[in-house]
């Protein structure tokens, strides 16, 4: 508990928050890396998974290939990208590595969610004359939304935690506070950096859970629609 108290004291010191190496600046860098990486990973993984889940072909191969990428250490990918002339230095190698790290949970959850959507509802929608895109956007994706958001939350927390590795090859983020503490043998600073990363991960998890709750299309449907769905009414409507 003594180290925790010293870390809290370090965080309570205003001088540690100011300047280019201060907490405020490093937190902004960390949030930037997290937001950009997660947004790019979602833009790549979610449309691909939704399409493959809708057509029912090629999804298993894509999921297995993306999951195989988890066996490659993120730090090794980051170092290799830093040494690659095309990626160069700065934030680009870190963002690429984080995107590659975030894609597997996004792709897996979105594919499984769309592919295993309630077939009674899907068949009812198809029987009502919905086209392929209408079926995907109005039936399959709403049914898969909860599982998709579970993947987004998992990827978001993982990206927040893994972005600390950006400091090792000289990047920014909260990892610089931790490595700075190691370099100066300042244990309270190391613990303070770790606490900041943990708190940010919990905050991201809570915000994404709130987004899921507010935006879930199944929650926003009227009670009558929910009752009809539970009683099998959509199937009857599809046969009319």
């Amino acid at each position: 508990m003594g180290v925790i108290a010293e870390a809290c004291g370090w965080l309570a010191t205003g001088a540690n928050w100011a300047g280019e190496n201060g907490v405020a600046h490093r937190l902004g860098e960390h949030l930037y890396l997290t937001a950009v990486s997660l947004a790019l990973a979602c833009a790549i993984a979610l449309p691909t998974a939704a399409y493959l889940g809708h057509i029912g072909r090629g999804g298993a191969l894509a999921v297995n290939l993306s999951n195989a990428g988890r066996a490659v250490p993120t730090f090794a990918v980051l170092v290799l990208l830093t040494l690659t002339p095309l990626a160069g230095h700065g934030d680009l190698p870190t963002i690429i590595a984080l995107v590659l790290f975030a894609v597997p949970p996004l792709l897996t959850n979105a594919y499984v969610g769309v592919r295993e959507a309630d077939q009674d509802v899907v068949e009812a929608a198809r029987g009502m004359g919905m086209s392929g895109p209408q079926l995907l956007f109005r039936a399959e994706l709403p049914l898969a939304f909860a599982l998709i958001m579970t993947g987004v939350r998992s990827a978001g927390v993982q990206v927040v935690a893994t972005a600390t590795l950006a400091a090792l090859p000289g990047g920014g983020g909260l990892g610089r506070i931790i490595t700075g503490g190691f370099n100066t043998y300042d244990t309270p600073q190391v613990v303070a950096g770790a606490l900041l990363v943990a708190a940010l991960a919990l905050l991201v998890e809570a915000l994404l859970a709130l987004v899921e709750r507010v935006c879930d299309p199944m929650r926003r449907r009227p009670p009558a629609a929910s009752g009809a769905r539970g009683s099998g009414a959509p199937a009857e409507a599809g046969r009319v």
Side-chain angles (χ1 to χ4, degrees), residues 88-110:
H89 298 280
D91 294 331
L92 184 57
T94 301
I95 291 173
I96 295 175
L98 291 176
V99 168
L100 294 176
F101 185 68
V103 162
L106 292 168
L107 185 65
T108 300
N109 279 47

Side-chain angles (χ1 to χ4, degrees), residues 201-236:
L202 291 175
L203 179 61
V204 169
E205 167 75 14
L207 288 176
L208 291 176
L210 179 62
V211 170
E212 176 183 356
R213 184 175 183 83
V214 171
C215 299
D216 190 345
M218 305 308 293
R219 287 182 180 272
R220 291 185 285 128
R221 291 193 176 189
S226 300
R229 188 171 64 252
S231 63
E236 292 294 325

Side-chain angles (χ1 to χ4, degrees), residues 22-218:
V23 173
H25 182 71
R26 296 305 183 192
L27 180 60
E29 291 177 335
H30 207 96
L31 288 172
Y32 169 76
L33 291 173
T34 299
V36 172
S37 301
L38 186 60
L40 289 175
C42 288
I44 294 170
L46 297 185
T48 302
Y51 175 74
L52 294 177
H54 174 67
I55 65 174
R57 294 191 299 273
L61 177 61
V63 168
N64 289 334
L65 287 176
S66 67
N67 286 332
R70 293 184 177 184
V72 181
T74 306
F75 180 61
V77 175
L78 182 57
V79 171
L80 290 175
L81 288 172
T82 303
L83 298 175
T84 301
L86 291 177
H89 298 280
D91 294 331
L92 184 57
T94 301
I95 291 173
I96 295 175
L98 291 176
V99 168
L100 294 176
F101 185 68
V103 162
L106 292 168
L107 185 65
T108 300
N109 279 47
Y111 172 75
V112 171
V114 173
R115 189 66 187 141
E116 297 185 0
D118 190 332
Q119 291 303 303
D120 290 337
V121 177
V122 173
E123 288 301 322
R126 184 176 287 113
M128 294 170 65
M130 286 189 181
S131 63
Q134 288 176 326
L135 187 65
L136 175 61
F137 287 101
R138 298 179 61 181
E140 292 173 333
L141 285 179
L143 291 170
F145 182 81
L147 194 55
I148 291 173
M149 283 304 301
T150 299
V152 173
R153 288 162 57 187
S154 176
V157 172
Q158 290 178 11
V159 167
V160 169
T162 310
T164 56
L165 295 176
L168 297 179
L174 293 175
R176 291 293 293 272
I177 296 176
I178 298 175
T179 57
F182 277 123
N183 293 335
T184 58
Y185 302 99
D186 188 346
T187 302
Q189 180 176 338
V190 174
V191 176
L195 290 175
L196 286 170
V197 174
L200 183 58
L202 291 175
L203 179 61
V204 169
E205 167 75 14
L207 288 176
L208 291 176
L210 179 62
V211 170
E212 176 183 356
R213 184 175 183 83
V214 171
C215 299
D216 190 345
M218 305 308 293

